[in-house]
């Protein structure tokens, strides 16, 4: 059975998080298709991974038999995250927009799993081609043609890291205008928010089922 690596990074609990609501819909649909499968779950808000250190960074460019004790300990932690990614048949990431980009906890996880010569810039990378679905929620809209299009640093950044660098097969689900129900100045946008949310939930369930069927085949 297939293994799903599910990562959430919203600081808000499920009832208040747009990204968690959509990743939850994806995961439930996935588990319906894979009742005996495996889900590896990381909640980066509740249990943050450590930020990368000099030891964990430099250890990635040195032979294991040359590691200092500090490098060996730090790199072992880094390898744990890398192996979770390598062993996943599909990846699901909740990536809400905070101050125009991803949460720092998600950036910390990415810093660990991007390892040149293993997951990045490696012909024999085990991550290459793994499907990854990113739920990129945001309070407003940063779509092409909108006034804040130039402030979109979530999809642009993750495209560079997940697709171009790690070689993952990337797809985005983008629930937007999530602040409309809470900001009186955005009241007229509530119907657009509701439509975006509904589409995101439907897309998540559909994508999960399609991936499950594809991997089963």
């Amino acid at each position: 059975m297939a293994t799903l690596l599910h990562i959430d990074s919203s600081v808000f609990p499920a009832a208040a998080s747009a990204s968690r609501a959509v990743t939850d819909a994806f995961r439930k649909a996935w588990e319906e298709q894979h009742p005996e499968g495996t889900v590896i779950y990381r909640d980066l808000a509740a249990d943050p991974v450590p930020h990368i250190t000099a030891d964990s960074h430099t250890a990635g460019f040195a032979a294991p038999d040359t590691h200092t004790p500090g490098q060996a300990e730090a790199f072992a932690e880094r390898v744990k995250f890398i192996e979770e990614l390598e062993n996943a048949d599909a990846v699901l990431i909740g990536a809400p927009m905070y101050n125009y980009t991803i949460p720092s906890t998600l950036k910390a996880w990415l810093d660990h799993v991007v390892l040149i010569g293993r997951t990045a810039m490696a012909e024999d990378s085990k991550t290459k081609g793994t499907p990854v679905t990113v739920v990129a929620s945001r309070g407003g809209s940063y779509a092409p043609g909108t006034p804040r299009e130039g402030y979109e640093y979530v999809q642009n950044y993750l495209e560079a890291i997940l697709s171009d660098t790690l070689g993952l097969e990337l797809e985005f689900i983008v629930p937007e205008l999530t602040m409309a129900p809470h900001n009186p100045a955005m009241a007229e946008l509530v119907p657009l928010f509701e439509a975006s949310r509904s589409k995101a939930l439907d897309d998540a369930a559909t994508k999960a089922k399609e991936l499950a069927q594809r991997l089963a085949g």
Side-chain angles (χ1 to χ4, degrees):
M1 300 296 289
T3 295
L4 174 69
L5 174 59
H6 175 186
I7 296 171
D8 277 324
S9 60
S10 172
V11 298
F12 298 104
S17 169
S19 65
R20 287 181 187 270
V22 178
T23 60
D24 184 60
F26 184 107
R27 178 170 170 173
K28 284 179 178 176
W30 173 277
E31 290 178 327
E32 287 174 0
Q33 300 295 316
H34 287 292
E36 297 179 1
T38 299
V39 176
I40 300 170
Y41 181 58
R42 284 200 171 274
D43 186 337
L44 299 181
D47 187 18
V49 304
H51 285 285
I52 199 164
T53 63
D55 277 341
S56 55
H57 177 75
T58 56
F61 297 94
D65 60 359
T66 68
H67 286 175
T68 66
Q71 285 178 316
E73 180 179 359
F75 194 63
E77 183 78 359
R78 190 175 179 188
V79 166
K80 178 174 66 177
F81 304 128
I82 290 172
E83 288 180 342
E84 285 180 349
L85 177 60
E86 290 177 333
N87 292 329
D89 296 291
V91 182
L92 171 66
I93 299 175
M97 178 186 281
Y98 294 158
N99 298 317
Y100 308 121
T101 190
I102 63 174
S104 63
T105 51
L106 181 54
K107 176 63 164 61
W109 178 81
L110 288 167
D111 285 341
H112 282 289
V113 300
V114 175
L115 180 58
I116 294 175
R118 179 164 176 173
T119 60
M121 301 181 188
E123 288 299 321
D124 58 349
S125 169
K126 294 180 181 179
T127 66
K128 189 176 295 184
T130 301
V132 55
T133 304
V134 174
V135 178
S137 60
R138 60 275 316 275
S141 179
Y142 301 80
T146 61
R148 293 200 170 188
E149 175 185 357
Y151 292 90
E152 210 300 311
Y153 301 114
V154 172
Q155 289 176 264
N156 291 341
Y157 172 70
L158 292 177
E159 179 84 33
I161 291 293
L162 298 174
S163 179
D164 298 344
T165 303
L166 294 178
L168 304 182
E169 180 188 298
L170 174 61
E171 184 166 331
F172 287 104
I173 296 173
V174 185
E176 60 180 10
L177 302 169
T178 63
M179 286 301 297
H182 313 288
N183 184 348
M186 298 175 68
E188 63 181 16
L189 299 175
V190 168
L192 292 177
F193 152 72
E194 292 174 343
S196 176
R197 185 177 188 274
S198 178
K199 183 178 186 302
L201 292 169
D202 288 345
D203 286 350
T206 299
K207 180 62 177 177
K209 291 175 183 176
E210 289 175 348
L211 269 177
Q213 291 168 2
R214 172 178 145 193
L215 293 171

